[in-house]
Amino acid sequence: MKKLALLFLILMSCSSENDKLNYDFSTKFETSNGMQTATYDETILFYENLAKRYEEISIKAIGETDSGKPLHMVTLNSDANFNISEVKKDKRILLINNGIHPGESDGIDATMMLFRDVVQGEIEMPKSTVLVTIPIYNVGGSLNRNTTTRTNQNGPESYGFRGNARNFDLNRDFIKSDTKNARTFAQIFHLVQPDVFIDNHVSNGADYQYILTHLFTQHNKLGGQLGDFLHTKMMPQLEQKLSEKDWDITPYVNVFNRTPEQGFNQFMDSPRYSTGYTTLWNTLGMMVETHMLKPYKQRVEGTYELMKSMIEIIETEGEHISELRKNALAELQKKKTYPIQWAIDTTKTSTLQFKGYEGHMVESKLTGTQRLKYDRTQPFTKPVTYKNYMSSTLEVTIPKAYVIPQGWWNVIDRLKLNAVEMTAFEKDTTLTVQSYRIKKYDTRQQAYEGHYPHYNVELDVSETQITFSKGDYLIHTDQDGFRYLLETLEPQAPDSFFSWNFFDTILQQKEGFSPYVWEDKAQELLIRHPKLQIDFNLKKTFDEDFANNWYAQLDWLHKQSEHYEKAHLQYPVYRIE
């Protein structure tokens, strides 16, 4: 019996080894001659088999998505060491995100081939760079396959849908984290702490000769020596390497229904977007934007070559990148102010030798009005003005700390999700703080990603003493989450939690008055406060609408009285200077 058992184990072991040798690592993209993209199940199975066959590959299911299926994280390390905290001591990490918009599937197929070709020796194994990929980020959208929703796109034959399982556009969710996908991405991001980040997309908006365009995070916003490196070294090196491989590339063509030769601006990636979010931790980020009208095969091959080139840059510049990132936070914290709003700097531009097609306005046979039409028989190379410099239009002084009452758990949860360090008061504590009151704001009139965001926020600022309760949170800004804190807790920042409606309950007055009761009390108020009587008279004199609205008059007086609730329009996050 013992001999039979031993023979059985040997046979099973041989069978297992043969299975490893017999995996077919051809991708759906390759077997379909560049016409099809892998499904979610095919993609995950591919990486699982790759991990079984090659010890340099690891795949883990990590965290939830709105679809009910997990996100996966695939890691490639030449040392076969997958302890991230150990790996980061002497290597750089490149994080590649795919399928955030699953109809833009180029990166899904390109990254499968990239990982395979590295471990099979077709590409030189990176010595000091670890590759990490989220194979398909928008799992729900990937499962919702169709052949028609990418109206402007030339292949593949079928693909996933832009919205996730709850119809969120995940590339607008990195700050507000409404989805399980975004929450799991934050978990992966803070585990990996990537030095460089690539998010693979497909473009929309204009016709031109390029297959590849790049959308690096805005260099002025990234700032300092790190921003200079991105703008003057990493981007030109990537363009040069691709040019040497006969792959032309240009900055993302940020136009809609007009021709690029009129000039265009760099896209500003605020923190709602993937590269805007990763910038908050001084990660060098870029989106790949292939051209939707080019054949799918060319787009995937171009994405593959771009990622190869980026690995080469990280291998060469890795130590320099580590040093720049290490210094970036300290460089920012030395400053007294932090920029939270940006605009195009009209005093500086770049010139692109742009390869486009002639476009003309012609009469539409459909609508009878003028429409844009490109003529691919008339290619050109022309100098085009590219406005890729930005300057800050609003800066805030950098506080030493913020205080947030524990009742705002929805915000506190998101801070914790993003590894923000905070300390709960052990007892009731009175502090002198800077206080914001919402003076004015505008609100979007149409739903946007499950919200009606605010903008054009104006504040009244004052200094006051407040007693905070045991369990409220003190959050020092001297930490890795420095940028994240200012971008989310300063209400005038475009992607602040205030802008995203997390504090909307303060905008609604909870206590009011009955006019027949308040009118008598209001008259007593004016008798006790003669100056208020003068102000009231002046307002009626110079504000006709106010003078003709009896309720507005009573309401104005109520707001000047001790009866007016302090919570109305009071921003509940406080600053310690």
Side-chain angles (χ1 to χ4, degrees):
M1 282 294 292
K2 288 183 179 179
K3 289 182 179 179
L4 285 172
L6 181 62
L7 180 61
F8 177 75
L9 288 172
I10 292 171
L11 289 171
M12 287 297 292
S13 176
C14 291
S15 174
S16 177
E17 289 301 316
N18 286 335
D19 285 346
K20 283 188 177 183
L21 294 173
N22 290 332
Y23 287 135
D24 181 4
F25 291 114
S26 299
T27 66
K28 173 66 75 66
F29 169 79
E30 292 166 310
T31 59
S32 67
N33 195 29
M35 300 298 289
Q36 297 177 11
T37 183
T39 65
Y40 170 77
D41 290 332
E42 289 167 342
T43 302
I44 300 306
L45 180 61
F46 176 90
Y47 284 111
E48 287 175 343
N49 289 340
L50 207 61
K52 290 176 184 176
R53 176 64 180 84
Y54 298 99
E55 65 176 7
E56 297 91 349
I57 298 278
S58 164
I59 180 169
K60 290 182 179 179
I62 179 168
E64 299 178 298
T65 70
D66 288 350
S67 70
K69 293 181 179 292
L71 273 190
H72 286 82
M73 183 177 85
V74 183
T75 307
L76 191 165
N77 184 5
S78 62
D79 301 335
N81 180 1
F82 304 109
N83 185 319
I84 296 296
S85 59
E86 291 179 3
V87 165
K88 284 194 65 64
K89 292 176 183 177
D90 57 3
K91 291 193 176 187
R92 262 61 57 187
I93 294 181
L94 168 62
L95 175 61
I96 301 166
N97 192 41
N98 291 315
I100 192 169
H101 300 145
E104 304 171 23
S105 54
D106 307 19
I108 296 171
D109 296 309
T111 307
M112 291 166 71
M113 295 189 296
L114 180 76
F115 274 53
R116 177 202 63 198
D117 290 353
V118 169
V119 293
Q120 290 187 345
E122 297 295 325
I123 301 173
E124 184 177 354
M125 176 73 73
K127 295 180 177 61
S128 60
T129 306
V130 176
L131 309 183
V132 179
T133 188
I134 299 173
I136 299 178
Y137 177 43
N138 183 353
V139 179
S142 179
L143 296 171
N144 185 12
R145 286 174 78 89
N146 72 95
T147 61
T148 58
T149 55
R150 297 293 294 180
T151 305
N152 300 326
Q153 191 167 291
N154 182 10
E157 291 176 357
S158 65
Y159 38 76
F161 182 65
R162 186 179 184 91
N164 87 329
R166 293 171 57 211
N167 210 32
F168 278 97
D169 184 335
L170 294 179
N171 203 28
R172 311 292 187 271
D173 195 41
F174 286 92
I175 283 294
K176 57 190 181 69
S177 297
D178 286 330
T179 62
K180 290 182 179 180
N181 302 64
R183 291 166 184 253
T184 301
F185 183 93
Q187 182 184 349
I188 292 171
F189 180 81
H190 292 293
L191 170 67
V192 171
Q193 298 176 30
D195 299 278
V196 181
F197 173 73
I198 293 177
D199 201 354
N200 285 312
H201 288 251
V202 180
S203 73
N204 202 347
D207 200 2
Y208 40 80
Q209 298 177 43
Y210 303 95
I211 295 170
L212 290 172
T213 72
H214 60 68
L215 201 168
F216 282 91
T217 194
Q218 210 286 319
H219 60 96
N220 300 113
K221 177 171 65 71
L222 180 58
Q225 295 181 37
L226 196 63
D228 290 341
F229 171 81
L230 180 80
H231 184 57
T232 63
K233 291 202 73 173
M234 178 176 272
M235 184 176 70
Q237 283 185 32
L238 182 68
E239 291 174 338
Q240 181 61 34
K241 283 182 175 292
L242 287 166
S243 176
E244 290 169 359
K245 300 172 185 177
D246 294 324
W247 284 96
D248 282 339
I249 189 168
T250 196
Y252 173 69
V253 184
N254 187 24
V255 301
F256 178 77
N257 207 37
R258 63 181 180 83
T259 55
E261 61 263 40
Q262 299 173 46
F264 54 92
N265 305 334
Q266 183 176 7
F267 182 82
M268 171 55 85
D269 53 336
S270 66
R272 72 187 64 176
Y273 303 106
S274 63
T275 56
Y277 172 84
T278 58
T279 293
L280 300 182
W281 285 272
N282 301 310
T283 295
L284 293 161
M286 71 166 296
M287 291 185 191
V288 181
E289 294 275 0
T290 60
H291 188 244
M292 72 284 186
L293 293 178
K294 300 298 186 289
Y296 187 60
K297 188 172 189 296
Q298 293 179 12
R299 302 196 329 250
V300 173
E301 290 170 351
T303 303
Y304 175 95
E305 290 298 335
L306 186 147
M307 291 189 293
K308 272 178 59 180
S309 297
M310 183 59 81
I311 294 168
E312 293 167 9
I313 293 170
I314 300 170
E315 285 286 280
T316 303
E317 300 282 355
E319 291 186 8
H320 186 41
I321 290 172
S322 292
E323 188 67 19
L324 288 172
R325 293 191 68 233
K326 181 180 176 181
N327 296 336
L329 182 61
E331 190 179 340
L332 279 167
Q333 289 178 327
K334 285 178 183 177
K335 297 183 177 181
K336 293 183 178 180
T337 62
Y338 180 85
I340 58 172
Q341 292 184 16
W342 296 85
I344 295 293
D345 185 344
T346 57
T347 67
K348 298 178 183 178
T349 60
S350 299
T351 301
L352 306 174
Q353 292 302 317
F354 187 79
K355 297 181 178 180
Y357 298 115
E358 293 292 348
H360 306 281
M361 299 302 293
V362 299
E363 185 176 343
S364 167
K365 295 178 181 178
L366 181 66
T367 67
T369 58
Q370 293 292 296
R371 57 152 293 190
L372 175 61
K373 189 171 182 62
Y374 288 94
D375 186 349
R376 289 194 172 184
T377 67
Q378 296 187 57
F380 67 76
T381 301
K382 294 179 182 179
V384 168
T385 300
Y386 179 46
K387 297 176 183 177
N388 59 330
Y389 291 87
M390 298 200 181
S391 57
S392 62
T393 57
L394 180 64
E395 301 198 4
V396 294
T397 57
I398 299 170
K400 290 181 180 177
Y402 291 99
V403 182
I404 181 168
Q406 60 199 290
W408 297 96
W409 54 265
N410 57 336
V411 170
I412 292 165
D413 283 353
R414 284 163 173 80
L415 298 178
K416 290 179 178 178
L417 179 70
N418 283 280
V420 167
E421 299 170 7
M422 59 185 78
T423 305
F425 290 124
E426 295 181 357
K427 59 182 181 180
D428 292 357
T429 303
T430 302
L431 296 171
T432 299
V433 294
Q434 190 178 71
S435 168
Y436 289 153
R437 194 169 190 83
I438 307 300
K439 182 180 178 181
K440 191 177 179 182
Y441 63 95
D442 293 317
T443 303
R444 277 182 180 254
Q445 298 304 300
Q446 290 187 322
Y448 179 75
E449 295 305 318
H451 293 255
Y452 290 83
H454 306 307
Y455 60 101
N456 290 339
V457 179
E458 296 181 17
L459 305 171
D460 282 327
V461 184
S462 63
E463 190 174 278
T464 186
Q465 273 199 341
I466 294 182
T467 298
F468 296 97
S469 299
K470 175 184 176 181
D472 292 345
Y473 286 96
L474 176 68
I475 308 170
H476 289 282
T477 56
D478 183 15
Q479 59 172 295
D480 290 345
F482 167 81
R483 278 184 150 173
Y484 177 85
L485 287 169
L486 276 97
E487 296 277 2
T488 58
L489 298 184
E490 289 296 330
Q492 291 173 302
D495 279 331
S496 69
F497 288 131
F498 177 81
S499 294
W500 282 111
N501 308 123
F502 284 84
F503 295 108
D504 273 11
T505 51
I506 70 166
L507 303 180
Q508 180 187 7
Q509 195 172 337
K510 300 301 187 292
E511 301 277 13
F513 58 85
S514 293
Y516 75 93
V517 175
W518 173 239
E519 180 140 359
D520 294 333
K521 290 187 175 184
Q523 287 178 351
E524 294 172 6
L525 178 72
L526 292 174
I527 291 170
R528 292 197 311 269
H529 300 281
K531 185 179 182 305
L532 183 60
Q533 176 73 72
I534 295 170
D535 293 340
F536 181 56
N537 292 340
L538 287 171
K539 188 167 179 62
K540 285 196 293 183
T541 301
F542 293 102
D543 187 337
E544 185 178 350
D545 290 338
F546 182 74
N548 293 326
N549 188 328
W550 64 269
Y551 188 86
Q553 294 174 41
L554 291 179
D555 185 59
W556 184 86
L557 287 169
H558 188 258
K559 285 183 168 63
Q560 316 308 311
S561 77
E562 62 184 5
H563 301 286
Y564 176 49
E565 65 198 63
K566 294 179 180 179
H568 186 218
L569 301 176
Q570 175 61 55
Y571 184 61
V573 179
Y574 301 89
R575 294 162 44 101
I576 299 176
E577 293 291 291

